[in-house]
Amino acid sequence: MCLSIIAGISLPVMADTERYRTTQHDFGGVGLLQTPTARMAPEGTFSFNANRTSPYSRYSISVQPVPWLEGTLRYIAVTNRRYSNVEEFSGDQSFKDKAFDAKFRLVKESYWLPELSLGFRDLAGTGLFSSEFLVANKRFYDLDFSIGVAWGYIGNRSDFANPFSVLGDDYDSRDAGTVGTGGDFSIENYFRGDPSLFGGVEYQTPWDPLRFKIELDGNDYKSEPLNNPQDQDSPINLGFVYKMSNSVDLSAGWQRGNTATIGITLHTNLKTDPLPSKLLDPAPESRRPMPTGVSARSIDWANVSNRLRENAGFAVEKIEVKDRELIVIGEQKTFRDEAQGLGRASRILDNSTGEGTYDWYTLVNTRQGMRISETSIDPERLRDLEQNRIDERGMRRSTVLAKPSVVDADLLHTEPLNTFNYGLSLGYNQNIGGPDGFILYQFLARARAEYRFNRNQWLNGSVAANLINNFEKFRVTGPSELPRVRTNIREYLTSSDVILENLQYTHTKRLDQDLYAMGYAGLLESMFGGIGGEVLYRPHGDDWALGVDMNWVRQRGFKQDFSFRDYSTFTGHMTAYLQTGFYDVLAKASAGRYLAGDLGGTLDLSRRFKNGITLGAWATRTNVSAEEFGEGSFDKGIYFTFPFDAFFARSSTSQGTLTWNPLTRDGGARLSRFYQLYDLTNASDTNRFNAGFSSLRD
């Protein structure tokens, strides 16, 4: 009996992902309280965390872009220390530290082996809270055990001599982080100094919403940054997490033996969480039997064109016929998944012409007047799919994606060009983490308009008026040793309540089957106006592309009207694009001249999830030294691009982007171009079409 009990409690059980879901720790990322664990959140997880453990208030965003990598962006407010000792500079704002963490899974848990991860806290920041750690986890039923070793902040108790000292004396000690330029990789500090052990247990109670945590802290809090030691009565921290809903966790605990902690986590999954049901979309047209052999000339093609726009989201330019192929040329304006519009269009064309009249329906996809791709569908096979006579794979074999071809076809209908359109919306500006205030914000009312000379030439612009802001706190202009191409942001945001955001003339042209060009001139963005052009070579269906842009620009006046300042420059880049096939990651590598005249390159890595949300990060290195660049050392940031229909009950191809840049500096600054040819030619991406093919019947 005793032997069977021992065997029962010692054999590991693989995790139930629902019951044994991961939770965040105080610094952001999967963990216990102060310490991380080896666990990884499900792929695509996005978490926002806020917690308070005196004297620290921590705010973080943690993401899981791929199964084996966790990234965390964090701000820490040290509430008993001032941002600076100069009241005119930062008032009574508390000190803020920003950092980026990364954790890599080395070994995935198996029946016998533990999960093993290597992590870096404050990977490229000031180093005030920096740490490196190796941690393992093993689950035994409802108990998840972790144990690890840490250098730096997590291991400040310094339990034993550094085993890496055998490699040299420089591993014996570690430089303390400093409030300076920061932002660079302090490789000379990694795994230095005497480390400590840390670890703990997470217990999933029989009541699924409740989880208890206990940990051994590796920090003794005697060497806290900013000469700010904290009393520690016990190295044991206790806490619990309560699952308030599927997207909200509440946490509380008792740390250092004398300090209460409280926190909240908001989380979602960018990969698997469904988008809102599109209740406001029109239902696909029901099939209406029509007589076959209807003469094309007897059909009301204007009515067909209108239904294609309203129900299939396809804005028609022309409708043509060649033998038994019906060709519709236009642009998808509503559905992110091209296949959804294709299926709807096929039903509309069947209802209008009669089933069996045509062997193929071909939709030629244009964007801003350029033909990008064409998709041909066998309507009979679509009817077979709807009757479950074939499966989706068979349907895909009856759907052809190709380069747009020039054929001798008969014109049936030309849709008049809508030369003018306009719209109203809200806008938002912000500046985060500066000395004037942690968040400086502005809400705007925006009016935009567009006038088209033809499908390839148009003029667009937008005017914005201030609604509300707290820019009265915005007093400090950042220091710079370079031409002030971005650090005058305060002047641009505060000089006028009504601004002309942009006013641009654009001309596009498809030069050859896979070669596209665009020219533009005007007020190109909030800080610069000028003239420029871009050429892109993007082979249809291939995973790579190559583009070049060149621009002459002049700095705009602070009031963002038609005035200009004295500074002007040439800027441009050559950019290579590669769909890596590695977790759907798109790599963009650019080299060229930046707005401040510096020369260098930018690497941008992004992943687009099936629901249309894109998570990306970039880093730029130029011939500007870290000292010349200033705090941050080099330009870098992360961004989220999200489709608007992620929040609404109506489909839309529109999207917005949220960007986090730790500091606004002049080095590595690029021109913010309103249009980019790579984005305009996404219809040539067969991988994207295939990913959304399941929506063909929606």
Side-chain angles (χ1 to χ4, degrees):
M1 181 63 140
C2 292
L3 288 176
S4 66
I5 293 175
I6 292 173
I9 64 173
S10 62
L11 290 179
V13 172
M14 302 312 292
D16 177 336
T17 55
E18 282 297 320
R19 178 167 170 77
Y20 301 129
R21 63 191 180 86
T22 57
T23 58
Q24 301 279 299
H25 73 298
D26 291 359
F27 281 77
V30 177
L32 295 171
L33 291 102
Q34 286 287 306
T35 63
T37 66
R39 299 295 180 196
M40 293 284 173
E43 182 182 4
T45 297
F46 174 95
S47 300
F48 170 77
N49 313 288
N51 60 78
R52 171 68 178 170
T53 307
S54 181
Y56 304 116
S57 296
R58 303 182 182 92
Y59 310 92
S60 62
I61 289 174
S62 183
V63 294
Q64 191 80 36
V66 294
W68 46 266
L69 171 63
E70 173 190 272
T72 300
L73 166 68
R74 179 179 55 258
Y75 280 91
I76 297 179
V78 186
T79 55
N80 64 345
R81 293 291 185 269
R82 292 283 187 92
Y83 192 100
S84 78
N85 294 322
V86 181
E87 186 170 350
E88 292 78 10
F89 177 68
S90 58
D92 60 357
Q93 183 186 179
S94 62
F95 180 85
K96 303 295 190 302
D97 183 70
K98 47 188 169 290
F100 177 77
D101 306 344
K103 185 172 73 176
F104 304 86
R105 184 172 64 199
L106 305 179
V107 178
K108 188 174 182 179
E109 182 180 20
S110 65
Y111 192 80
W112 296 112
L113 293 178
E115 191 121 331
L116 184 66
S117 293
L118 174 69
F120 299 83
R121 180 178 291 177
D122 199 357
L123 181 63
T126 60
L128 295 178
F129 296 91
S130 66
S131 193
E132 303 81 50
F133 59 88
L134 186 68
V135 59
N137 269 72
K138 200 76 185 75
R139 177 174 297 284
F140 296 86
Y141 296 92
D142 289 336
L143 299 173
D144 192 18
F145 293 87
S146 65
I147 185 169
V149 58
W151 294 257
Y153 185 81
I154 302 174
N156 267 345
R157 193 172 57 244
S158 303
D159 290 339
F160 52 91
N162 191 352
F164 290 124
S165 293
V166 298
L167 302 177
D169 294 341
D170 55 335
Y171 283 89
D172 291 339
S173 61
R174 183 186 187 95
D175 293 335
T178 59
V179 182
T181 58
D184 214 341
F185 297 97
S186 301
I187 299 175
E188 69 282 354
N189 243 9
Y190 293 168
F191 302 101
R192 262 64 170 187
D194 293 340
S196 285
L197 294 175
F198 68 91
V201 183
E202 190 170 30
Y203 169 57
Q204 173 59 59
T205 68
W207 186 37
D208 282 353
L210 185 62
R211 186 90 56 92
F212 286 111
K213 299 180 178 184
I214 181 171
E215 70 176 4
L216 170 66
D217 200 337
N219 188 2
D220 60 8
Y221 298 91
K222 294 178 180 178
S223 305
E224 291 299 280
L226 307 176
N227 192 27
N228 194 21
Q230 302 297 310
D231 293 334
Q232 184 188 59
D233 296 338
S234 170
I236 303 299
N237 299 328
L238 305 168
F240 70 87
V241 176
Y242 170 67
K243 179 184 176 183
M244 187 175 180
S245 71
N246 287 333
S247 58
V248 180
D249 290 340
L250 301 178
S251 60
W254 190 251
Q255 300 187 22
R256 307 199 294 263
N258 53 29
T259 305
T261 182
I262 189 170
I264 185 171
T265 295
L266 309 177
H267 54 89
T268 187
N269 192 292
L270 305 179
K271 181 180 180 183
T272 61
D273 283 359
L275 297 178
S277 298
K278 299 299 177 273
L279 302 177
L280 299 181
D281 281 356
E285 275 198 11
S286 301
R287 291 197 174 273
R288 301 191 296 269
M290 293 282 291
T292 59
V294 176
S295 169
R297 298 296 177 184
S298 66
I299 296 172
D300 184 354
W301 290 110
N303 173 266
V304 175
S305 176
N306 183 63
R307 287 156 54 208
L308 286 169
R309 173 60 190 260
E310 295 300 319
N311 192 272
F314 201 75
V316 174
E317 297 175 13
K318 293 180 182 179
I319 301 177
E320 300 174 339
V321 63
K322 179 175 176 56
D323 300 327
R324 292 179 60 84
E325 179 184 13
L326 189 62
I327 304 167
V328 184
I329 302 165
E331 182 174 348
Q332 178 54 247
K333 297 280 193 177
T334 301
F335 299 111
R336 285 186 296 106
D337 291 328
E338 182 188 331
Q340 185 173 359
L342 177 66
R344 287 175 171 238
S346 182
R347 297 182 197 98
I348 292 169
L349 296 175
D350 263 358
N351 288 342
S352 303
T353 64
E355 295 180 359
T357 303
Y358 295 101
D359 294 334
W360 291 96
Y361 296 142
T362 296
L363 269 60
V364 179
N365 301 286
T366 70
R367 191 73 192 276
Q368 302 294 7
M370 299 180 293
R371 298 189 181 191
I372 309 299
S373 70
E374 63 181 36
T375 309
S376 299
I377 187 170
D378 181 342
E380 182 179 358
R381 300 292 279 172
L382 179 59
R383 295 190 290 271
D384 288 341
L385 177 69
E386 293 172 350
Q387 297 299 320
N388 296 316
R389 292 192 289 265
I390 62 171
D391 60 14
E392 198 171 280
R393 292 177 61 186
M395 185 68 241
R396 180 61 185 87
R397 289 193 293 269
S398 298
T399 308
V400 180
L401 272 69
K403 301 176 183 179
S405 56
V406 178
V407 296
D408 185 15
D410 294 327
L411 180 65
L412 298 175
H413 175 73
T414 299
E415 188 70 17
L417 175 66
N418 181 16
T419 58
F420 181 74
N421 66 73
Y422 64 93
L424 301 174
S425 63
L426 290 176
Y428 178 71
N429 290 319
Q430 68 178 22
N431 191 66
I432 298 180
D436 303 291
F438 182 56
I439 297 181
L440 301 176
Y441 63 86
Q442 179 186 42
F443 288 94
L444 302 159
R446 176 175 292 137
R448 60 165 184 81
E450 178 184 277
Y451 180 80
R452 286 198 170 266
F453 304 98
N454 55 49
R455 298 194 187 277
N456 294 84
Q457 300 179 61
W458 69 96
L459 183 69
N460 69 287
S462 65
V463 175
N466 174 64
L467 294 177
I468 186 173
N469 66 59
N470 65 346
F471 285 166
E472 71 278 358
K473 299 180 180 179
F474 210 161
R475 300 183 300 271
V476 177
T477 297
S480 181
E481 297 183 22
L482 301 171
R484 287 188 174 277
V485 295
R486 292 299 186 203
T487 50
N488 279 328
I489 183 173
R490 181 185 70 85
E491 288 79 0
Y492 280 101
L493 291 177
T494 61
S495 293
S496 179
D497 284 336
V498 179
I499 57 175
L500 180 58
E501 294 181 305
N502 73 295
L503 182 64
Q504 176 176 319
Y505 166 80
T506 308
H507 186 181
T508 61
K509 187 175 180 62
R510 182 175 177 235
L511 301 177
D512 202 351
Q513 284 191 335
D514 298 314
L515 189 62
Y516 307 90
M518 176 172 62
Y520 43 86
L523 306 178
L524 305 180
E525 51 141 286
S526 61
M527 297 186 187
F528 284 90
I531 186 170
E534 181 186 9
V535 176
L536 176 74
Y537 179 68
R538 186 174 187 176
H540 184 277
D542 282 359
D543 292 329
W544 65 277
L546 185 65
V548 176
D549 68 275
M550 298 182 66
N551 312 272
W552 177 86
V553 294
R554 188 172 178 181
Q555 197 166 36
R556 294 181 62 187
F558 293 148
K559 292 187 175 182
Q560 296 179 67
D561 48 20
F562 288 100
S563 63
F564 285 89
R565 295 168 58 79
D566 292 336
Y567 182 77
S568 63
T569 188
F570 284 96
T571 180
H573 294 81
M574 176 176 287
T575 303
Y577 305 83
L578 178 64
Q579 292 282 359
T580 63
F582 181 72
Y583 294 104
D584 301 317
V585 170
L586 170 65
K588 295 187 288 187
S590 301
R593 177 183 168 96
Y594 295 81
L595 285 171
D598 44 335
L599 304 175
T602 298
L603 178 63
D604 183 310
L605 300 175
S606 62
R607 180 181 181 184
R608 182 181 185 270
F609 295 95
K610 188 176 182 298
N611 59 12
I613 294 175
T614 298
L615 168 65
W618 84 89
T620 297
R621 287 283 195 174
T622 72
N623 57 353
V624 171
S625 68
E627 291 73 21
E628 289 177 296
F629 185 92
E631 185 180 354
S633 299
F634 63 96
D635 189 58
K636 53 191 169 294
I638 63 175
Y639 58 90
F640 299 89
T641 299
F642 51 90
F644 285 169
D645 64 359
F647 308 101
F648 303 110
R650 186 184 296 276
S651 294
S652 171
T653 57
S654 299
Q655 60 185 27
T657 299
L658 291 176
T659 301
W660 177 83
N661 191 213
L663 289 163
T664 301
R665 289 291 180 261
D666 297 312
R670 297 188 68 167
L671 182 68
S672 180
R673 294 187 294 122
F674 199 84
Y675 301 103
Q676 309 242 357
L677 282 175
Y678 190 83
D679 296 332
L680 296 180
T681 57
N682 278 332
S684 67
D685 184 354
T686 56
N687 293 327
R688 180 173 293 201
F689 178 85
N690 292 335
F693 191 73
S694 60
S695 66
L696 187 69
R697 287 186 281 186
D698 293 347

